[in-house]
Amino acid sequence: MIDFVFPLFGRFHPILVHLPIGFLAFGIILVFLSKKGENKHLDSIRLAYLLGAIAAVLSSISGFLQYQYEGFSWESVQFHFYFGCTTALFSFYLFYEINKYNSITSFYKLKSGALFALMLFTGHLGGNITHGETYLIEPLPAEVQNFLGYETTANKGLEIPEIGWEELVYYEDVVQPILNQNCSSCHNSRNKKGNLDLSEYNALLKGGEDGLVLTGGNPEQSSLFTRLVLPKEDDDHMPPKEKRQLHSEEIELIKHWISLGGTTESKLGDAGIEPELLEPFIKKEETPFYPTTAVSSVPEDNLNVLKESGFFAEPISEESNWIMISCINLSSFSDADWEKLNPVKEQLAFLDLSRTQITDQSLDELVGFPNLTVLKLNETGISGEGLEKLLKNENLKNLYLNKTQVTLEHLESLRNHPGLEKVFVFDTPASGNELAGEFSFYLERGNYLLPKLATDTIVY
Amino acid sequence: MKHLDKLIQELSQQQLEKKTRRHFLMDCVSKMGGLALAPLMFGCGLDSKPKGLELSQRDLNPLAPLPPPFRGKAKSIIYLHMAGAPSQLELFDYKPELAKYHNQPCPESLLEGKTFAFIRGVPNLLGPQANFTQKGESGAWVSDFLPHFSQVIDDVAFLKAVHTDQFNHGPAQLFMQTGSPRLGRPSLGSWVTYGLGTENQNLPGFVVLTSGGKTPDAGKSVWGSGFLPSVYQGVQCRSKGDPVLYLQDPDGMSRDMKKNLISAINDVNKEEFNQYGDPEILARINQYEMAYRMQIEVPEVMDINDEPEYIHELYGTQPGKESFANNCLLARKLVEKGVRVVQLYDWGWDSHGTDHDGSVDMGLRNKCREIDRPMTALLLDLKQRGLLEDTLVVWGGEFGRTPMQENREGKQQSFLGRDHHGDAFTMWMAGGGIKKGASYGITDDFGFSGIDERVSVHDIHATILHLMGFDHEKFTYDFQGRPFRLTDVEGELIRKIIA
């Protein structure tokens, strides 16, 4: 029979929590109203703090019960709980202090202020649990939200997949995202500038202050379109000129949708639009330059060790685990130094050993770096002997051998390389001779000359 | 001592400037919170341990390399700026229709609402003063002013309808280089160096070379660092005399002595750091060491004497002279050595027609001859070394020129010239990430305005940053309480010229 008491009491938490707020706020106001040495509110303050403290304890207990019985996770409630208990304890303490000293000092006022802050913060944490952490943030303008570090759904913008875009629903997948990005910060269900809500189709149909904004089939009669193409200086131009402006393709897409009738049914593929219009929005699945195999990221410490020994060593980009290494400030690198690169064996994708001391021996080491994509060996002791060892570096795409001793015969051995795209052999024996036949890769032999022209010397 | 006081004052002033009302409120919040919590924590008091020093690479060395946010197609930039603004109508923008109306009064409709720097009243139209042919597989039109360059146009992408809203050199150059026509913003090169640092720790990250006898009208602020820390500004190097002023030791100072001096200064600085833990001191130590290293490497890389003869022939270089050709060769050497941004300015393109040098049929031809071979050579040399794979080359002026003949003070001039014009002009880019042989932008029959595929200065900046691995909308620096961007609130990628 007792079973239901606790859960029921727990459910009173949302009501109970307002009691301590009221009592304590009243007490705190009285504390601040009291002038120095004046005692006329002392009794009331005492009572307010005592009741507040008791109510806070009850709130904490009921809150804990609610957590126990209603499936909240501890992570989500723990700080609210701690701060609630702290509020209760702190109000007891203030009650105790005023009983003891029977007067209100300025330090006491300060503590009461702190109690107020504590109480507000506890309440805020509670609000976050029930209404969601972004409850207070959402109505803010998108800029402020961004400023505070919140990712607004609004600023994602339109994205269209490269394959299968024909199947997209024109309104839902194309028009709405454009509106979300550019209009909904001012035209949503909470914030209706011009009494217009553009956050969903039915709201859009209702129109705004000046009536309907959409006349299906007739863009020129739809202010949803006409306002976009007004001159930027015009007061009626949308979005207002200090905002991100729509790109011409976005306007064109909206116009086209209205001409088609402005319904939610049509598919993008049936709309007969030129694919060119969509190009800026297509998230291209570019064939990535570097290998697609996943590798773990190199620990910061390992990179730092490399940097300290003089290498340029950085990830290719912030979002990539591939590493770029160059010996631009480490020309002393030699065949004996390869083990320094062991910590990045898997991740090394770009290696520049130009102008270092390496010789043909180093070619044996390269096998250990399966993901090498760009390899620069310019101006080194590479003679070209044993170049075929690079066949094992299947991911190699660009190979630089400028100012080495490689010959065309050496390059022959790379003929069947699975991935090689470009080889640079400027200023080598290979750059001089006649080319016997085509290579499977682009061979840049350089030796460009510009003819002497009469106009080179004519002064007008 | 006076001097030191001034420095200290400046430092504290700077720190105070960084404190905004927002910081103050934030401080209040955290401190009030602490105050409230202090008695609650059962009197254990505040944690008295000093916060562990967390120094980033950047605190120690402001030029330490950083990875770009996403994979950049280019690692370095060579930007060739033709100061004074070359005439697109004599170089790349072929307008046969304009030739037909040569010497006819300009239609009023073109002049309405426009402001010109010098043109007054109704000027006459001026037909192209060059002969055009289509070149390469791309079939781009190039004039006979650039016979060498016309051989490599399949490697470049043209932007034919660039526009700017500035019509005077200084502001327009600032706009082109810093994204704002007014002083105070960091240059493109500074932004990139700030974002990526420098690859070669013995050389500056951003080098500026000038030719043509004068520096740009806008002065050094076109390569300034604006509100970014000043280490990111361009370092002007000279192709004649000492490459970097004040870098060499005074007579009688040996390398050893210098070394001792620097290590002594650094020891004192280290002591200072141990006492106060201010990372600025470490940065200072680092900079002394860098300057010491640069003393060796800068003169080396700036010396073109040891380049082979055929390279000199290719570029048309003459060591010891200050010339665009020498600067092009230097640009290649610098990029090869891991310099992030090389900015070239060539002065003398302001063809108003006020004298022989400023005429579009003669003076301009002479200027073109000065750059034709070198810039072509630069592209070929970068290409044969494979450097064009990850170097972006940009060419352009600060605006274009009018299809009308200039009539300064309403009078006919003795030479053929064109006035400043920002509505439509041509630029080109080549190399890292650029679509070869592309052409973007169409101008009207007189080459007066862009009618399609126009691009703004911000669009160009957005595209350059994109190629270097940045999203121009996210690449910001906080200053005066708000984040700043190179592209301010504008800029769209020019996708059609990206490979």
Side-chain angles (χ1 to χ4, degrees):
Chain A
M1 123 112 218
I2 200 114
D3 283 2
F4 71 93
V5 175
F6 286 155
L8 184 67
F9 185 51
R11 292 204 170 192
F12 274 91
H13 180 69
I15 299 170
L16 274 177
V17 286
H18 297 94
L19 285 177
I21 296 178
F23 287 135
L24 292 176
F26 180 60
I28 293 163
I29 291 168
L30 289 180
V31 167
F32 277 87
L33 285 179
S34 309
K35 304 225 171 54
K36 225 186 177 132
E38 184 194 71
N39 287 341
K40 73 173 177 215
H41 295 316
L42 272 187
D43 283 340
S44 319
I45 294 171
R46 221 172 270 151
L47 183 63
Y49 276 0
L50 180 63
L51 288 176
I54 293 171
V57 171
L58 290 178
S59 301
S60 302
I61 295 174
S62 63
F64 187 74
L65 290 174
Q66 197 183 22
Y67 149 70
Q68 284 274 304
Y69 291 100
E70 307 221 340
F72 290 95
S73 78
W74 177 238
E75 277 86 73
S76 65
V77 302
Q78 58 178 342
F79 288 108
H80 178 50
F81 179 68
Y82 288 144
F83 277 90
C85 294
T86 313
T87 311
L89 287 176
F90 195 35
S91 25
F92 270 123
Y93 169 77
L94 288 184
F95 168 72
Y96 155 82
E97 208 172 72
I98 201 166
N99 269 339
K100 188 166 168 200
Y101 300 113
N102 259 326
S103 77
I104 289 168
T105 59
S106 36
F107 195 49
Y108 194 78
K109 283 190 181 173
L110 197 65
K111 285 186 203 162
S112 295
L115 176 65
F116 188 69
L118 192 61
M119 189 172 76
L120 272 192
F121 189 60
T122 312
H124 174 67
L125 289 177
N128 279 355
I129 298 171
T130 51
H131 294 80
E133 293 202 359
T134 53
Y135 187 60
L136 294 178
I137 304 293
E138 272 160 25
L140 295 176
E143 288 73 29
V144 182
Q145 294 194 28
N146 286 335
F147 179 79
L148 294 172
Y150 287 88
E151 185 76 20
T152 44
T153 48
N155 55 25
K156 284 235 180 61
L158 177 58
E159 272 179 18
I160 292 177
E162 194 168 13
I163 297 162
W165 59 266
E166 293 87 349
E167 287 307 303
L168 294 184
V169 180
Y170 201 153
Y171 179 77
E172 202 56 44
D173 298 328
V174 179
V175 177
Q176 191 62 56
I178 299 177
L179 300 180
N180 284 349
Q181 180 187 22
N182 300 288
C183 322
S184 47
S185 57
C186 300
H187 299 291
N188 58 47
S189 53
R190 290 195 200 96
N191 180 359
K192 292 190 195 175
K193 292 274 161 61
N195 207 17
L196 176 66
D197 177 0
L198 294 175
S199 59
E200 46 131 2
Y201 186 69
N202 287 329
L204 181 154
L205 283 186
K206 291 203 186 98
E209 247 162 41
D210 302 338
L212 297 183
V213 296
L214 171 71
T215 314
N218 194 344
E220 307 301 333
Q221 297 293 321
S222 309
S223 58
L224 186 65
F225 165 72
T226 51
R227 285 199 177 229
L228 305 178
V229 289
L230 284 173
K232 210 157 129 187
E233 286 67 38
D234 196 306
D235 279 347
D236 281 347
H237 173 82
M238 285 292 143
K241 69 167 179 281
E242 67 283 359
K243 295 281 162 169
R244 175 190 185 273
Q245 293 300 304
L246 291 197
H247 297 186
S248 52
E249 290 91 351
E250 289 166 332
I251 297 181
E252 204 50 40
L253 282 170
I254 290 181
K255 180 179 181 189
H256 200 85
W257 171 71
I258 300 178
S259 328
L260 281 177
T263 63
T264 49
E265 274 94 57
S266 52
K267 289 246 160 68
L268 197 53
D270 309 332
I273 44 178
E274 308 214 346
E276 240 182 32
L277 210 53
L278 303 174
E279 205 177 322
F281 312 106
I282 288 182
K283 248 196 118 83
K284 286 226 178 68
E285 301 293 326
E286 289 182 29
T287 35
F289 184 74
Y290 293 100
T292 44
T293 33
V295 290
S296 58
S297 71
V298 177
E300 187 89 18
D301 287 348
N302 287 349
L303 273 191
N304 285 339
V305 172
L306 284 170
K307 288 180 197 174
E308 269 154 35
S309 25
F311 292 99
F312 167 95
E314 290 293 335
I316 300 274
S317 75
E318 279 171 15
E319 54 191 25
S320 162
N321 288 339
W322 299 120
I323 298 292
M324 174 187 284
I325 284 191
S326 140
C327 289
I328 194 138
N329 294 135
L330 192 67
S331 52
S332 61
F333 186 91
S334 72
D335 295 336
D337 291 326
W338 279 91
E339 39 186 69
K340 290 188 186 153
L341 297 178
N342 278 344
V344 294
K345 266 187 159 196
E346 288 295 316
Q347 295 89 348
L348 188 59
F350 183 114
L351 178 60
D352 187 352
L353 296 177
S354 301
R355 289 173 285 274
T356 58
Q357 313 302 315
I358 57 159
T359 67
D360 290 337
Q361 275 183 21
S362 277
L363 293 176
D364 291 321
E365 305 287 342
L366 287 166
V367 182
F369 298 82
N371 293 316
L372 262 185
T373 314
V374 178
L375 178 62
K376 302 196 182 190
L377 304 171
N378 303 326
E379 296 181 56
T380 55
I382 297 289
S383 73
E385 291 302 325
L387 206 58
E388 70 279 356
K389 289 170 192 157
L390 292 178
L391 286 172
K392 299 212 185 84
N393 290 87
E394 298 193 349
N395 284 310
L396 191 62
K397 283 189 177 165
N398 290 0
L399 175 63
Y400 292 67
L401 296 164
N402 298 330
K403 301 196 180 188
T404 60
Q405 292 308 313
V406 287
T407 63
L408 284 177
E409 288 73 63
H410 293 130
L411 292 173
E412 280 298 324
S413 62
L414 290 178
R415 200 174 264 287
N416 293 319
H417 194 287
L420 206 52
E421 289 175 4
K422 293 179 186 163
V423 179
F424 298 88
V425 290
F426 162 66
D427 204 359
T428 63
S431 53
N433 298 332
E434 277 294 306
L435 210 51
E438 288 287 303
F439 282 91
S440 53
F441 42 82
Y442 171 78
L443 185 64
E444 175 63 67
R445 306 197 301 156
N447 279 0
Y448 294 114
L449 295 173
L450 286 174
K452 286 209 165 68
L453 301 177
T455 46
D456 284 354
T457 46
I458 299 177
V459 176
Y460 292 91
Chain B
M1 225 34 219
K2 262 242 171 85
H3 193 61
L4 195 63
D5 283 348
K6 237 169 123 183
L7 281 177
I8 292 172
Q9 216 180 357
E10 201 178 296
L11 182 70
S12 71
Q13 178 66 26
Q14 266 179 8
Q15 281 167 348
L16 285 177
E17 271 172 12
K18 294 212 177 96
K19 279 238 168 223
T20 60
R21 192 170 51 234
R22 216 172 281 137
H23 286 110
F24 174 73
L25 289 176
M26 233 133 83
D27 281 357
C28 287
V29 171
S30 57
K31 293 194 177 136
M32 285 295 275
L35 213 67
L37 281 177
L40 300 172
M41 295 301 170
F42 313 108
C44 56
L46 288 168
D47 198 357
S48 58
K49 211 168 54 200
K51 259 212 296 195
L53 268 179
E54 276 178 47
L55 294 175
S56 73
Q57 288 262 330
R58 269 294 166 99
D59 287 328
L60 308 183
N61 173 9
L63 288 173
L66 289 178
F70 55 89
R71 183 173 88 86
K73 304 243 174 80
K75 285 200 302 171
S76 337
I77 308 178
I78 298 177
Y79 193 128
L80 314 173
H81 187 117
M82 306 296 110
S87 165
Q88 76 282 8
L89 296 165
E90 266 70 38
L91 300 184
F92 303 116
D93 208 11
Y94 177 48
K95 293 294 153 192
E97 208 53 23
L98 183 60
K100 290 189 198 152
Y101 291 88
H102 179 62
N103 255 340
Q104 311 262 326
C106 176
E108 295 271 359
S109 59
L110 285 191
L111 302 171
E112 249 165 48
K114 300 279 176 195
T115 332
F116 297 97
F118 294 102
I119 284 179
R120 298 288 174 266
V122 180
N124 286 345
L125 291 167
L126 176 62
Q129 297 301 306
N131 299 314
F132 282 79
T133 35
Q134 275 182 302
K135 288 288 159 91
E137 275 173 36
S138 60
W141 291 93
V142 196
S143 88
D144 57 352
F145 282 19
L146 297 172
H148 291 296
F149 185 70
S150 60
Q151 304 305 313
V152 295
I153 44 153
D154 281 341
D155 281 324
V156 311
F158 286 101
L159 296 171
K160 294 207 148 168
V162 188
H163 64 92
T164 172
D165 57 4
Q166 297 298 315
F167 59 86
N168 278 318
H169 297 293
Q173 285 162 358
L174 274 175
F175 189 28
M176 193 53 93
Q177 294 299 334
T178 72
S180 160
R182 283 163 290 280
L183 294 169
R185 296 289 181 84
S187 55
L188 171 67
S190 300
W191 276 107
V192 171
T193 319
Y194 164 66
L196 299 176
T198 176
E199 193 180 332
N200 189 333
Q201 290 303 314
N202 300 346
L203 288 176
F206 175 15
V207 173
V208 179
L209 302 164
T210 63
S211 56
K214 287 193 193 170
T215 49
D217 310 64
K220 305 192 177 202
S221 18
V222 280
W223 59 83
S225 57
F227 44 69
L228 294 177
S230 52
V231 283
Y232 302 115
Q233 74 189 335
V235 176
Q236 190 183 359
C237 291
R238 307 181 314 158
S239 40
K240 211 166 123 184
D242 272 352
V244 179
L245 286 172
Y246 315 120
L247 184 66
Q248 286 319 304
D249 296 327
D251 286 344
M253 164 85 81
S254 71
R255 193 86 181 131
D256 279 345
M257 204 160 146
K258 183 62 165 248
K259 192 173 180 158
N260 287 338
L261 180 73
I262 286 183
S263 70
I265 295 175
N266 282 351
D267 284 346
V268 176
N269 278 338
K270 276 177 198 148
E271 197 96 330
E272 188 86 353
F273 175 74
N274 290 338
Q275 196 169 352
Y276 297 105
D278 180 354
E280 280 282 316
I281 302 172
L282 287 180
R284 176 52 61 93
I285 294 176
N286 212 302
Q287 277 167 31
Y288 272 115
E289 283 168 357
M290 179 155 183
Y292 179 73
R293 292 192 306 265
M294 273 194 208
Q295 284 185 320
I296 297 285
E297 189 123 354
V298 170
E300 224 172 73
V301 68
M302 291 295 293
D303 180 9
I304 56 172
N305 277 306
D306 51 0
E307 286 289 314
E309 194 46 41
Y310 65 89
I311 289 290
H312 284 302
E313 262 170 39
L314 184 67
Y315 282 86
T317 33
Q318 288 172 302
K321 266 183 57 178
E322 183 212 78
S323 71
F324 184 73
N326 287 11
N327 288 351
C328 279
L329 177 51
L330 283 171
R332 191 273 288 162
K333 289 190 70 171
L334 288 163
V335 163
E336 195 171 33
K337 281 288 174 89
V339 170
R340 192 64 76 186
V341 185
V342 185
Q343 177 84 44
L344 265 59
Y345 289 97
D346 187 58
W347 195 85
W349 292 88
D350 198 12
S351 319
H352 283 287
T354 45
D355 55 12
H356 178 277
D357 283 350
S359 61
V360 287
D361 52 342
M362 294 178 292
L364 179 62
R365 239 179 231 243
N366 289 335
K367 280 310 285 183
C368 285
R369 190 190 57 249
E370 284 173 24
I371 66 158
D372 183 28
R373 176 180 278 275
M375 76 183 179
T376 312
L378 175 62
L379 287 182
L380 290 176
D381 200 14
L382 290 172
K383 189 171 162 185
Q384 69 186 351
R385 288 162 205 265
L387 290 169
L388 206 52
E389 298 292 306
D390 44 23
T391 304
L392 175 67
V393 185
V394 184
W395 180 95
E398 60 267 26
F399 38 63
R401 308 207 77 94
T402 54
M404 294 84 88
Q405 180 173 1
E406 183 168 324
N407 59 349
R408 208 167 272 224
E409 288 153 11
K411 287 189 230 118
Q412 184 80 24
Q413 307 200 78
S414 34
F415 293 93
L416 298 178
R418 302 182 184 277
D419 201 357
H420 306 169
H421 186 53
D423 273 8
F425 59 104
T426 305
M427 290 180 68
W428 58 255
M429 298 195 201
I434 291 289
K435 191 186 277 177
K436 291 180 183 176
S439 178
Y440 189 72
I442 297 168
T443 54
D444 59 28
D445 282 344
F446 288 170
F448 189 80
S449 304
I451 48 178
D452 198 14
E453 305 184 329
R454 301 174 80 217
V455 300
S456 72
V457 173
H458 297 300
D459 298 341
I460 290 170
H461 289 162
T463 308
I464 295 177
L465 287 182
H466 171 85
L467 293 170
M468 299 302 291
F470 296 97
D471 177 344
H472 70 105
E473 293 185 355
K474 303 215 172 100
F475 187 24
T476 60
Y477 186 83
D478 285 339
F479 175 64
Q480 290 183 333
R482 75 152 168 112
F484 276 81
R485 283 167 31 190
L486 172 61
T487 50
D488 199 12
V489 295
E490 313 201 25
E492 272 185 49
L493 283 190
I494 314 168
R495 280 170 215 280
K496 293 254 173 69
I497 63 158
I498 298 176

